[in-house]
Amino acid sequence: SQKIEQNSEALNIQEGKTATLTCNYTNYSPAYLQWYRQDPGRGPVFLLLIRENEKEKRKERLKVTFDTTLKQSLFHITASQPADSATYLCALDMSGGYNKLIFGAGTRLAVHP
Amino acid sequence: DGGITQSPKYLFRKEGQNVTLSCEQNLNHDAMYWYRQDPGQGLRLIYYSQIVNDFQKGDIAEGYSVSREKKESFPLTVTSAQKNPTAFYLCASSPSTSNQPQHFGDGTRLSIL
């Protein structure tokens, strides 16, 4: 079955630096991949979606890449701020575009002033 | 503002008791989902519904039941058959068309007395 791996260790970075989070998956490539942000005690909030035929997507300080050869997505936050501290979840659609997602466990990001 | 409302925020269950978690959305979305989140694990899909009066089991449906009598509402019942119900439960919705993000509520935390 499909597995998603996100770094379980927290990522600690200095304010102003670029944070890079990794999402690796096994087996066959999904139709698309999504990234969400989750704050403690809250539901996830959608950030970006990237399709299998797209290599890169940007939104303000956020950038996502999707490499179907490596079976990997990278999520970048440039000029990071303490307010970016949260857990970031990667999710894959394995239902051919019908929105049935499989989520990774997430990576916690801590941005220090 | 449109969104998803989950209630209650905290819920306690006694042994042998069924409890029902509420999920209401005013986003006019056709599809709704229930997930369970445990510490250190990704969100796991319990049940989902693509349209009113229809729903399908997800990966961990045993011990749970749902109904979808109205487009806006997708309640989840945690039955006494669910032996390890302590978790954070998240409800989400999305348009039924492909490649859509999911919108989440802020969850219900269920604990055993």
Side-chain angles (χ1 to χ4, degrees):
Chain A
S1 61
Q2 183 70 282
K3 289 186 180 176
I4 302 172
E5 295 173 357
Q6 294 187 256
N7 195 339
S8 59
E9 293 183 12
L11 179 63
N12 291 283
I13 65 167
Q14 199 81 26
E15 181 176 9
K17 300 291 186 185
T18 296
T20 299
L21 287 70
T22 304
C23 174
N24 295 303
Y25 60 91
T26 60
N27 300 338
Y28 51 96
S29 287
Y32 62 91
L33 187 151
Q34 300 182 14
W35 283 88
Y36 290 79
R37 169 186 171 136
Q38 186 175 24
D39 292 287
R42 307 292 300 272
V45 174
F46 171 75
L47 296 174
L48 280 169
L49 179 154
I50 186 165
R51 294 177 175 77
E52 59 181 335
N53 60 351
E54 298 175 316
K55 291 221 176 326
E56 183 180 296
K57 203 84 169 278
R58 291 175 185 262
K59 179 183 174 183
E60 298 173 352
R61 294 184 296 112
L62 310 180
K63 184 178 85 170
V64 173
T65 62
F66 193 4
D67 189 325
T68 55
T69 302
L70 293 178
K71 297 185 179 180
Q72 181 181 80
S73 175
L74 298 179
F75 178 80
H76 306 271
I77 305 175
T78 58
S80 59
Q81 305 165 1
D84 295 325
S85 299
T87 296
Y88 291 85
L89 309 175
C90 165
L92 277 59
D93 180 319
M94 302 308 302
S95 59
Y98 289 96
N99 307 327
K100 187 179 170 192
L101 301 178
I102 300 174
F103 282 83
T107 298
R108 191 159 56 87
L109 171 68
V111 181
H112 302 282
Chain B
D1 282 340
I4 296 187
T5 302
Q6 290 188 243
S7 61
K9 191 162 180 65
Y10 300 96
L11 188 57
F12 298 91
R13 194 190 90 169
K14 294 180 182 177
E15 293 289 341
Q17 187 181 46
N18 293 354
V19 291
T20 297
L21 284 60
S22 170
C23 178
E24 304 277 331
Q25 55 102 356
N26 60 3
L27 298 166
N28 199 33
H29 287 164
D30 285 314
M32 296 187 75
Y33 313 82
W34 273 106
Y35 294 92
R36 170 181 172 140
Q37 188 174 33
D38 294 282
Q41 295 192 40
L43 278 66
R44 291 184 290 166
L45 184 64
I46 305 172
Y47 269 97
Y48 64 104
S49 168
Q50 300 280 25
I51 199 165
V52 174
N53 292 323
D54 187 45
F55 50 83
Q56 285 80 40
K57 293 181 179 180
D59 301 317
I60 56 165
E62 186 175 348
Y64 300 97
S65 66
V66 294
S67 62
R68 186 86 189 275
E69 296 175 2
K70 297 187 300 181
K71 187 175 186 177
E72 306 79 32
S73 179
F74 192 39
L76 173 75
T77 296
V78 184
T79 74
S80 57
Q82 172 48 245
K83 297 307 178 189
N84 184 22
T86 297
F88 189 48
Y89 290 87
L90 288 160
C91 178
S93 71
S94 74
S96 58
T97 49
S98 61
N99 303 339
Q100 297 292 331
Q102 294 186 9
H103 299 254
F104 284 84
D106 272 339
T108 292
R109 190 166 297 280
L110 176 62
S111 302
I112 297 299
L113 283 178

